[in-house]
Amino acid sequence: MRGTKWLSGLSFKLFLLCLLFVSGVVTGVTRLAYTYIYQELRSNNEFYVRQMLSKVDQYLTLSSSSILSQLYAVNSYYTPGTALENLKPLMNQLLEMNQGLIKNIYVIRPDLSIIGGSPLTVVYEDPREERRVFYEQALADRAGVSYTGPYASSSSGWTVTMSKLLKGSDPPAVIALDLDLSLFESTLLDLSRSDLINMAIMDSSGKVIAAFPTQYGKFDHGTHTTVIGGITSAELARSGEASLTTKNEEGKPLSILKLSASRFEWSIISVNDETRLAEPLRRLNTYYWVLLLAGLFLSAGVAWVVTRYIRKPLRFLRTQMTMVKQGNMTAGTALKRRDEFGELSRTFNQMIRRIADLLQDREEDYEKRRQLEIQVLQSQINPHFLYNTLGSISNVIGLGQYDKADPIIVALIRILEYGIADAAQKVTLEEEIRNVRDFIYIQNTRYNKEFPLIEEIEPELYSFPVFRMLLQPIVENSLFHGYCGGRMQGEVRIRAFREEQRTVVEVVDHGVGMAPETAQMLLTLEKKHEGTRRRIGLRNIHQRIQLYYGLQYGLTIASIPGGGTCVRAEFP
């Protein structure tokens, strides 16, 4: 039984918590370190590969500039009207100077026959239909240089042909050269000598131009396309992703990085074997388990020390709380310690004293709220208002204005029904405004003047809950004080709107106004008794709002002498 109690006690829970926390921290830190190192290895590897891709792109850019210079050299050397055969020595010289970069350079006549710089070109000088593509490309782009996709040439093998219209030639001839793609392949092999990284160049359709990751993909020699881990070269060429991941047939992870070449519509790709990153990570596992075991022993020791250190003060605090639970709200002796437990004990005693004070304040607030609501109940039906209304009814009947008597009586009945209800029960803003309409109607008849009631209420606020008799006392002040008890006439405007997470209700008149000091006194001083009854003052309304919602809400009065008055009520 005792062992069961110890297992369910706080000491065992603290011991278990510390054990789990320390071991969790060790495990988490180790895992984070493992993940960080893994990400760093991948990041550095990707950076290294992208640097190689960038070098290939730079090589292609430099090579294309050198190749273009050959075309422009022939174009500049040619004199319009001279025989095309005069270009043969120059082309032969350029071909010898750029062995390994270009396979052949030649001029294409309109009949698709050629004049070449290579001694072997003589065999292929007859017209060939394969030349029509780049011949027509050059004619279509007379000012620029065009190039074909990779194809199998009868004279140059697997190549890409660049062509340009020979300036001033008539009939138009085209200067063309075939690239030596084997040079690109050897360059890629030099840059990626590792068996774990292969590089290739492909065009926009997915045809492999140079090199190929033969270790990780299947190459179709007929179409010069490949499939790498289920991704075809055509899909790779169309993809807008710069980095892709896949797996080979053996299930090993592969990462494919892609870089668009600065020249030509080509892509440079690299295929990397991700398994080479696993070896360094395997060595980390040993350290991981060593740290984990050490963390378990450390957490057990720390948990035992912490449990012993906090057991006594917790037992003391539990005793204090049990006393409070039993109703003893007197603060006891605090722990004489300078650490957090001593501060907690002192704070607990202060809290108990504060709770006792709050309970007393709550009783006082309840009594104050009750007195305010009693005041509202006592003042809801003002005898003077009732006498004056009955007198107004008598006057209109005496004057024979019987049609006015019934509406006054109906309005008075509604006001009486509204006033005798429970003051503590809230009503909607629409109900409160309806009561104000009846009140103003009676006053219009009584004073034989017009006090137009203008309502500017956001539609959804008609259902907003407010205190009963919130608006009538404010409107009554506007008529009796703002408009001098009916000697002046003017409009009463009621506005209701939302503003910065608050609901605002305003009553505005254009009467005589008052000094700011007088307006402030209306909210702070008790209203004087009138006979044996007390009228509902603005201070009563202000205090009711604050008692229910907090001191940040309530009434504010903005008024200046001769400039009217605005009474603003704010609710959450």
Side-chain angles (χ1 to χ4, degrees), residues 1 8 26 71-72 75 123 125 262 282 344 363 397 541-542 546:
M1 186 71 180
S8 62
V26 173
L71 292 176
Y72 284 109
N75 197 45
V123 181
E125 285 184 352
S262 302
R282 288 194 191 98
L344 180 61
E363 292 178 358
I397 293 176
I541 300 172
H542 180 60
Q546 289 190 333

Side-chain angles (χ1 to χ4, degrees), residues 177-196:
L177 56 81
D178 298 336
L179 302 184
D180 189 353
L181 298 183
S182 62
L183 179 64
F184 293 162
E185 291 187 350
S186 62
T187 301
L188 294 181
L189 291 174
D190 289 340
L191 289 174
S192 57
R193 291 187 180 278
S194 171
D195 293 335
L196 300 174

Side-chain angles (χ1 to χ4, degrees), residues 227-243:
V227 178
I228 306 173
I231 302 176
T232 65
S233 55
E235 292 172 342
L236 185 58
R238 290 194 303 267
S239 174
E241 300 291 334
S243 178

